[in-house]
Amino acid sequence: MSTTTIRGELGAFLRAARAQLTPADLGLNVHGSRRVRGLRREEVAAVSGIGLSWYTWLEQGRVATSRQVLDALASTLRLGEQQHRHVLALGGFQPEPQEDTDSARLAALLAEWSRSPALLLDHRFDVHAVNEVHHTVWQSSPEVRGGTNLLLAMATEPDWRDVLVDEREVLYELFLRFRAQADLHPTDPRCHEVLRTLRNSRPDLAHCWECRDVRDYGTWPVVLTGGSGGRLRFDFTLLRTDGTSGSLLVQVPGNDETREWVRGRTSPG
């Protein structure tokens, strides 16, 4: 991976975070009008205790820096835990994700996962395996199989709009997790292809695709229309796998009604 390229991703993330804050967020007094949206570079540098030139070069992707500086910037920019971890990863202070060399083991684990729908994804969100429960539960919904890009399928296939109750929120949460992994692979053409297709196919969600925020863990609710016109709720959780760039997307029934529905669809006989 090009060091210069990933430094550029770090700079872009810092610029986006800076644009989301105002001087008032940092307790700074402002006099007169401002042409810059959000904080100025000199404000971030001063509050973080680093030189303006150095911070400028950091945003431009021209220099590497220390963990201490990145920690200070995370504090100044009011980054949450996940965003802070992402900045550290872009700065080279977490193990770089490796290509998944143990997909067979993960696929075997998935096959034994018998109580909830689950998929094996790579960092591009291409689907590598789907467990039997997923096929059974989602048989009346748009098909997701090996080779499908989950994010593209859910964003661009019209049938998903009939299935997802709050499509925009579901796609936004999924995209934040895609961004957290794609940023660590800035030269991967497939990641760029996914982003380009999202922008071209769904310009109505441009605010999502241009977002630089990230999430790399956590559960979010996904509500679906059921076959009888009811509502089904699943809690989606993306489980990252240590030492690889793969993830398991597990879909746990979120209430008793959904749990019973799944049990009825998957029970023998």
Side-chain angles (χ1 to χ4, degrees), residues 100 103 106-111 113 116-122 125-135 137-138 142-151 153-154 160 174 181 220 222 234-241 245-252:
D100 188 353
S103 59
L106 294 175
L109 171 64
L110 196 65
W113 202 301
S116 301
L119 306 95
L120 174 61
L121 308 174
D122 62 18
F125 277 32
D126 286 337
V127 177
H128 284 248
V130 178
N131 71 350
E132 210 47 51
V133 187
H134 179 94
H135 282 306
V137 169
W138 293 82
E143 186 178 7
V144 172
R145 58 190 182 279
T148 301
N149 183 277
L150 181 65
L151 183 55
M154 295 181 75
W160 278 105
L174 193 62
Q181 299 194 48
W220 73 103
V222 176
F234 290 89
D235 291 329
F236 278 34
T237 303
L238 192 68
L239 304 176
R240 299 286 296 274
T241 53
S245 57
S247 303
L248 291 175
L249 181 63
V250 181
Q251 307 147 44
V252 177

Side-chain angles (χ1 to χ4, degrees), residues 153-174:
M154 295 181 75
T156 63
E157 293 186 10
D159 288 346
W160 278 105
R161 299 191 184 191
D162 298 329
V163 176
L164 298 172
V165 172
D166 191 350
E167 181 209 27
R168 290 173 177 253
E169 188 63 25
V170 172
L171 290 175
Y172 178 66
E173 290 292 333
L174 193 62

Side-chain angles (χ1 to χ4, degrees), residues 5 30 37 39 45 52 56 64 66 79 83 89 96 103 119 133 143 153 170 175 182 200 203 208 232-233 239 254 264:
T5 303
V30 177
R37 182 170 71 102
L39 296 172
L52 174 58
T56 300
S66 67
L79 299 184
Q83 290 76 24
E96 184 174 311
S103 59
L119 306 95
V133 187
E143 186 178 7
V170 172
F175 179 75
N200 293 338
C208 292
L232 302 172
R233 170 180 165 144
L239 304 176

Side-chain angles (χ1 to χ4, degrees), residues 35-94:
R35 296 180 180 177
V36 178
R37 182 170 71 102
L39 296 172
R40 291 174 172 152
R41 283 175 173 165
E42 54 265 34
E43 293 166 341
V44 175
V47 173
S48 302
I50 61 178
L52 174 58
S53 294
W54 187 262
Y55 179 71
T56 300
W57 294 338
L58 191 59
E59 275 201 3
Q60 293 172 344
R62 295 167 57 189
V63 295
T65 194
S66 67
R67 179 166 186 152
Q68 182 179 8
V69 166
L70 294 178
D71 287 342
L73 289 171
S75 176
T76 298
L77 295 171
R78 305 297 192 263
L79 299 184
E81 179 186 354
Q82 298 187 54
Q83 290 76 24
H84 189 174
R85 290 176 57 193
H86 190 63
V87 163
L88 290 176
L90 291 174
F93 293 100
Q94 289 184 350

Side-chain angles (χ1 to χ4, degrees), residues 137-138 140-141 163-165 221-236 252-262 265:
V137 169
W138 293 82
S140 61
S141 304
V163 176
L164 298 172
V165 172
V222 176
V223 180
L224 314 170
T225 56
S228 60
R231 297 287 175 89
L232 302 172
R233 170 180 165 144
F234 290 89
D235 291 329
F236 278 34
V252 177
N255 54 35
D256 290 339
E257 291 78 8
T258 303
R259 196 169 295 109
E260 288 301 319
W261 185 87
V262 171
R265 298 291 289 272

